[in-house]
Short mmCIF file of all heavy atoms in Angstrom, two decimals:
data_model
loop_
_atom_site.label_atom_id
_atom_site.label_comp_id
_atom_site.label_asym_id
_atom_site.label_seq_id
_atom_site.Cartn_x
_atom_site.Cartn_y
_atom_site.Cartn_z
N TYR A 1587 -80.37 126.65 -43.22
CA TYR A 1587 -81.27 127.80 -43.23
C TYR A 1587 -82.69 127.36 -42.87
O TYR A 1587 -83.19 126.36 -43.41
CB TYR A 1587 -81.27 128.47 -44.60
CG TYR A 1587 -79.91 128.99 -45.01
CD1 TYR A 1587 -78.99 128.15 -45.64
CD2 TYR A 1587 -79.55 130.30 -44.77
CE1 TYR A 1587 -77.74 128.61 -46.01
CE2 TYR A 1587 -78.29 130.78 -45.14
CZ TYR A 1587 -77.39 129.93 -45.76
OH TYR A 1587 -76.15 130.39 -46.12
N PRO A 1589 -86.63 128.60 -42.92
CA PRO A 1589 -87.53 129.63 -43.44
C PRO A 1589 -88.34 130.30 -42.33
O PRO A 1589 -88.71 129.65 -41.34
CB PRO A 1589 -88.46 128.84 -44.38
CG PRO A 1589 -87.70 127.58 -44.70
CD PRO A 1589 -86.90 127.27 -43.47
N PHE A 1644 -73.99 132.60 -50.33
CA PHE A 1644 -75.26 131.94 -50.65
C PHE A 1644 -76.27 132.94 -51.21
O PHE A 1644 -76.98 132.65 -52.18
CB PHE A 1644 -75.80 131.27 -49.38
CG PHE A 1644 -77.14 130.63 -49.56
CD1 PHE A 1644 -77.28 129.46 -50.30
CD2 PHE A 1644 -78.28 131.18 -48.99
CE1 PHE A 1644 -78.52 128.86 -50.46
CE2 PHE A 1644 -79.52 130.59 -49.15
CZ PHE A 1644 -79.64 129.43 -49.89
N SER A 1805 -90.93 124.28 -41.66
CA SER A 1805 -89.76 123.54 -42.10
C SER A 1805 -88.70 123.52 -41.01
O SER A 1805 -88.55 124.48 -40.26
CB SER A 1805 -89.15 124.19 -43.36
OG SER A 1805 -87.93 123.57 -43.71
N PRO A 1807 -84.56 123.44 -40.19
CA PRO A 1807 -83.41 124.02 -40.92
C PRO A 1807 -82.93 123.04 -41.99
O PRO A 1807 -82.83 121.83 -41.74
CB PRO A 1807 -82.36 124.21 -39.82
CG PRO A 1807 -83.16 124.32 -38.56
CD PRO A 1807 -84.31 123.39 -38.73
N VAL A 1808 -82.65 123.52 -43.18
CA VAL A 1808 -82.27 122.65 -44.30
C VAL A 1808 -80.93 123.10 -44.87
O VAL A 1808 -80.55 124.27 -44.76
CB VAL A 1808 -83.34 122.67 -45.41
CG1 VAL A 1808 -84.64 122.06 -44.92
CG2 VAL A 1808 -83.58 124.09 -45.92
N PRO A 1809 -80.18 122.17 -45.49
CA PRO A 1809 -78.90 122.54 -46.12
C PRO A 1809 -79.13 123.53 -47.27
O PRO A 1809 -80.24 123.65 -47.79
CB PRO A 1809 -78.37 121.20 -46.65
CG PRO A 1809 -79.14 120.15 -45.93
CD PRO A 1809 -80.47 120.74 -45.60
N ARG A 1810 -78.08 124.17 -47.67
CA ARG A 1810 -78.19 125.24 -48.67
C ARG A 1810 -78.76 124.75 -49.99
O ARG A 1810 -79.47 125.49 -50.67
CB ARG A 1810 -76.84 125.91 -48.90
CG ARG A 1810 -75.73 124.98 -49.37
CD ARG A 1810 -74.46 125.74 -49.68
NE ARG A 1810 -74.65 126.59 -50.86
CZ ARG A 1810 -73.87 127.60 -51.16
NH1 ARG A 1810 -72.87 127.94 -50.37
NH2 ARG A 1810 -74.07 128.31 -52.26
N ASP A 1811 -78.49 123.48 -50.35
CA ASP A 1811 -79.00 122.99 -51.63
C ASP A 1811 -80.48 122.64 -51.59
O ASP A 1811 -81.07 122.31 -52.63
CB ASP A 1811 -78.18 121.77 -52.09
CG ASP A 1811 -78.20 120.64 -51.08
OD1 ASP A 1811 -78.60 120.87 -49.92
OD2 ASP A 1811 -77.82 119.51 -51.45
N LYS A 1812 -81.10 122.72 -50.41
CA LYS A 1812 -82.53 122.42 -50.28
C LYS A 1812 -83.36 123.67 -50.00
O LYS A 1812 -84.59 123.60 -49.91
CB LYS A 1812 -82.75 121.41 -49.14
CG LYS A 1812 -82.05 120.07 -49.32
CD LYS A 1812 -82.72 119.24 -50.39
CE LYS A 1812 -82.09 117.85 -50.47
NZ LYS A 1812 -82.71 117.04 -51.54
N VAL A 1813 -82.70 124.80 -49.84
CA VAL A 1813 -83.39 126.02 -49.39
C VAL A 1813 -84.41 126.50 -50.43
O VAL A 1813 -85.59 126.74 -50.11
CB VAL A 1813 -82.38 127.13 -49.07
CG1 VAL A 1813 -83.11 128.44 -48.77
CG2 VAL A 1813 -81.51 126.74 -47.90
N ILE A 1814 -83.99 126.68 -51.67
CA ILE A 1814 -84.88 127.22 -52.70
C ILE A 1814 -86.07 126.29 -52.90
O ILE A 1814 -87.22 126.75 -53.02
CB ILE A 1814 -84.11 127.42 -54.03
CG1 ILE A 1814 -82.90 128.34 -53.81
CG2 ILE A 1814 -85.04 127.97 -55.10
CD1 ILE A 1814 -83.25 129.69 -53.24
N GLU A 1815 -85.81 125.01 -52.95
CA GLU A 1815 -86.88 124.03 -53.10
C GLU A 1815 -87.89 124.14 -51.95
O GLU A 1815 -89.11 124.08 -52.16
CB GLU A 1815 -86.26 122.63 -53.14
CG GLU A 1815 -87.27 121.50 -53.20
CD GLU A 1815 -86.60 120.13 -53.05
OE1 GLU A 1815 -85.41 120.00 -53.43
OE2 GLU A 1815 -87.26 119.21 -52.54
N THR A 1816 -87.37 124.30 -50.71
CA THR A 1816 -88.24 124.41 -49.54
C THR A 1816 -89.07 125.69 -49.57
O THR A 1816 -90.27 125.68 -49.28
CB THR A 1816 -87.39 124.36 -48.25
OG1 THR A 1816 -86.61 123.17 -48.23
CG2 THR A 1816 -88.28 124.40 -47.01
N ILE A 1817 -88.45 126.80 -49.95
CA ILE A 1817 -89.17 128.08 -50.05
C ILE A 1817 -90.30 127.97 -51.07
O ILE A 1817 -91.44 128.39 -50.81
CB ILE A 1817 -88.20 129.22 -50.43
CG1 ILE A 1817 -87.21 129.49 -49.30
CG2 ILE A 1817 -88.98 130.49 -50.77
CD1 ILE A 1817 -86.11 130.47 -49.67
N ASP A 1818 -89.99 127.41 -52.23
CA ASP A 1818 -91.00 127.28 -53.29
C ASP A 1818 -92.15 126.39 -52.83
O ASP A 1818 -93.33 126.67 -53.13
CB ASP A 1818 -90.36 126.70 -54.55
CG ASP A 1818 -89.41 127.69 -55.23
OD1 ASP A 1818 -89.53 128.91 -54.93
OD2 ASP A 1818 -88.56 127.26 -56.01
N ARG A 1819 -91.82 125.31 -52.11
CA ARG A 1819 -92.86 124.40 -51.64
C ARG A 1819 -93.81 125.10 -50.67
O ARG A 1819 -95.04 124.99 -50.79
CB ARG A 1819 -92.22 123.17 -50.97
CG ARG A 1819 -93.23 122.20 -50.36
CD ARG A 1819 -92.53 121.04 -49.68
NE ARG A 1819 -91.61 121.47 -48.65
CZ ARG A 1819 -91.99 121.82 -47.42
NH1 ARG A 1819 -93.29 121.84 -47.08
NH2 ARG A 1819 -91.09 122.18 -46.52
#
Side-chain angles (χ1 to χ4, degrees):
Y1587 299 85
F1644 176 72
S1805 174
V1808 294
R1810 59 175 292 162
D1811 58 346
K1812 300 288 185 182
V1813 174
I1814 303 303
E1815 176 188 332
T1816 304
I1817 292 173
D1818 290 341
R1819 176 182 58 79

